[in-house]
Amino acid sequence: ANSHAARRELRRIAVRKEAGELCGGDDGAGEAVGGGGRPYVSGIFIHPVKSLRPVSLSETAFDEHGLVGDRRLMVVRPNPTPLHGGGFGEGEATHRFLTQRQAPGLATIEAAVPVEVAGGSSTAGGPSKETKRLIKLSSSSIPNDGGVFVDVHPSSVEALPVRYLAGLWGDVVEVADCGDEAAEFVAKIVGRDDSRFEDARLVSIVNSSVRKVNELYCPDAARVGPWATAPQGGLTDGFPILVATQASLNELNTRLEKKAKERLPMSRFRPNIVIDETSQPFDEDEWKAIQIGKGPDSVILHVVKGCPRCKQSCTDQLTGERGEEPLETLSEFRALGADGTDVYFAQNAVLDGDATSYGGRIRVGDPVTVLTRGGPVWDSETVQQNDAQLWENDE
């Protein structure tokens, strides 16, 4: 009941804003307007494989895991065999995720947008057994290499015989191994970062996998279904959608230039949605709910908490080379965590629990309306872990 009422109130606010009844004002719900324009979507990105290069889109849809096709695959390594003997216990992770934090070479791998390859006719009228949905993996670090193709069609993934339980931060999620060819391709690249990584495998989330976002940060209006459960997060670090603004990046780059350092591209922060023409840098810190688009086809997102940044943001997303920025400069004015350790850039978000949002589409150029505002939310404890903590038993 609380979820339904909260969603209804947001839609009511959205309708009034579209009618011009709540433009600005002191009620904390005014939309941000800057530069003579209105906030709009200036970029949409997905990452078909977690921690690989982003793919720019002109439009996208949503499903129960977030943006369609975003981070449905990831790279994992086997966990060390338990010291107590007898193998892994029930529900215990047999593998653990591997990202640019440990293997910056992943930034050199491009995972293309899936391409549907039709097979023969189907007597049932649906997709044939031969239908494939192929993602091509290629890398600029391997000259004259044709790359590999991975079939991510749901029926193909479900048919993969090898399954693991993979640790992803504090969660365990069921995944399917995508085969030796894909594993060999990835391992050849990450093995250059550390020879121990030559045992890496490429895996896909399976349809039955359920990984909920942290209940602590989930507003009532974002909860789904008759039992008002928290939405899913897929294979993202914690939340299915990351929102960034161009004004915030511009502020960071201005500070970098004053220190005679190079400007950085938005790709360093790996957002899903970039919004331009906001009123000021980091205005998004105080957003609580935003609407993208207009009318019944619009999508409402709930901004739940800031995103703490790690050394992955210091990795060049083309070459894999790692430096000190932007963490060094962000630490001067964005160290907002519990003990000043974590620095923040961009905001995590979840879809509104209304079925309309899950079936909606967003496009570059869509207007963005700030529906509600509130105090910024940061993590209550230090979040980022170093490599030694991530692999503390892998020696």
Side-chain angles (χ1 to χ4, degrees):
N2 289 341
S3 298
H4 178 72
R7 288 194 291 269
R8 184 174 56 192
E9 175 62 16
L10 277 179
R11 288 293 177 183
R12 184 186 66 81
I13 292 174
V15 170
R16 291 177 62 192
K17 277 183 169 287
E18 286 189 20
E21 296 179 16
L22 287 177
C23 290
D26 297 323
D27 62 353
E31 69 185 36
V33 179
R38 175 179 183 173
Y40 70 96
V41 175
S42 59
I44 300 172
F45 302 91
I46 62 170
H47 308 80
V49 181
K50 183 179 179 68
S51 223
L52 271 57
R53 288 181 182 173
V55 175
S56 177
L57 302 176
S58 60
E59 64 178 272
T60 190
F62 296 89
D63 61 20
E64 67 273 15
H65 294 293
L67 280 71
V68 170
D70 184 48
R71 284 168 283 205
R72 299 300 193 268
L73 292 87
M74 68 178 177
V75 179
V76 300
R77 292 185 58 218
N79 272 332
T81 303
L83 296 177
H84 54 68
F88 295 95
E90 183 178 356
E92 192 173 1
T94 60
H95 291 67
R96 185 166 182 82
F97 75 124
L98 182 72
T99 71
Q100 290 181 33
R101 298 174 182 89
Q102 303 86 32
L106 287 171
T108 69
I109 306 178
E110 178 180 351
V113 174
V115 176
E116 201 88 6
V117 179
S121 60
S122 171
T123 55
S128 72
K129 293 183 179 180
E130 292 79 21
T131 298
K132 296 181 179 181
R133 187 175 299 163
L134 300 179
I135 289 179
K136 182 181 180 180
L137 303 183
S138 57
S139 175
S140 56
S141 69
I142 307 178
N144 303 318
D145 187 282
V148 297
F149 289 89
V150 181
D151 187 1
V152 296
H153 192 281
S155 61
S156 300
V157 171
E158 289 303 305
L160 291 172
V162 179
R163 303 294 177 92
Y164 309 128
L165 291 179
L168 179 51
W169 294 110
D171 299 319
V172 177
V173 59
E174 183 183 7
V175 295
D177 190 297
C178 294
D180 290 341
E181 186 178 12
E184 290 170 5
F185 178 84
V186 171
K188 181 163 50 177
I189 296 170
V190 298
R192 299 172 182 174
D193 293 315
D194 189 320
S195 60
R196 295 179 301 168
F197 297 168
E198 292 177 354
D199 58 3
R201 307 292 298 185
L202 183 70
V203 299
S204 171
I205 193 169
V206 298
N207 292 338
S208 58
S209 294
V210 175
R211 180 172 175 252
K212 304 291 186 181
V213 304
N214 191 329
E215 295 267 0
L216 178 65
Y217 302 103
C218 184
D220 285 342
R223 297 179 179 275
V224 297
W227 305 109
T229 59
Q232 295 200 49
L235 298 179
T236 61
D237 274 355
F239 295 89
I241 304 165
L242 187 65
V243 177
T245 67
Q246 188 62 43
S248 298
L249 180 64
N250 292 346
E251 172 66 19
L252 170 62
N253 280 329
T254 296
R255 291 172 180 258
L256 288 172
E257 287 181 326
K258 289 180 178 178
K259 297 163 71 173
K261 295 188 176 183
E262 292 185 1
R263 296 173 64 86
L264 296 177
M266 186 63 85
S267 60
R268 286 294 187 95
F269 300 101
R270 303 175 65 79
N272 294 116
I273 302 170
V274 180
I275 298 172
D276 204 351
E277 293 288 356
T278 53
S279 62
Q280 60 186 341
F282 302 103
D283 190 55
E284 63 274 20
D285 289 351
E286 297 183 350
W287 295 353
K288 290 304 175 187
I290 62 174
Q291 176 182 265
I292 299 178
K294 287 185 175 183
D297 295 330
S298 64
V299 171
I300 289 179
L301 301 182
H302 297 273
V303 178
V304 294
K305 63 176 289 295
C307 181
R309 311 313 308 205
C310 65
K311 61 185 177 182
Q312 181 162 315
S313 63
C314 295
T315 305
D316 187 301
Q317 294 300 294
L318 292 177
T319 66
E321 296 177 358
R322 181 169 287 161
E324 299 300 322
E325 296 292 0
L327 290 186
E328 184 177 286
T329 296
L330 285 174
S331 68
E332 298 170 3
F333 71 112
R334 296 291 294 175
L336 305 168
D339 60 1
T341 299
D342 293 323
V343 298
Y344 288 80
F345 188 98
Q347 293 285 325
N348 289 294
V350 294
L351 276 171
D352 191 67
D354 192 333
T356 302
S357 289
Y358 279 84
R361 297 186 71 86
I362 62 172
R363 300 165 181 83
V364 170
D366 276 352
V368 177
T369 305
V370 181
L371 300 178
T372 57
R373 292 177 177 271
V377 177
W378 317 116
D379 293 278
S380 58
E381 58 185 22
T382 301
V383 174
Q384 299 301 339
Q385 303 178 50
N386 59 32
D387 293 350
Q389 290 173 305
L390 283 172
W391 294 96
E392 58 185 353
N393 296 318
D394 194 11
E395 299 295 341

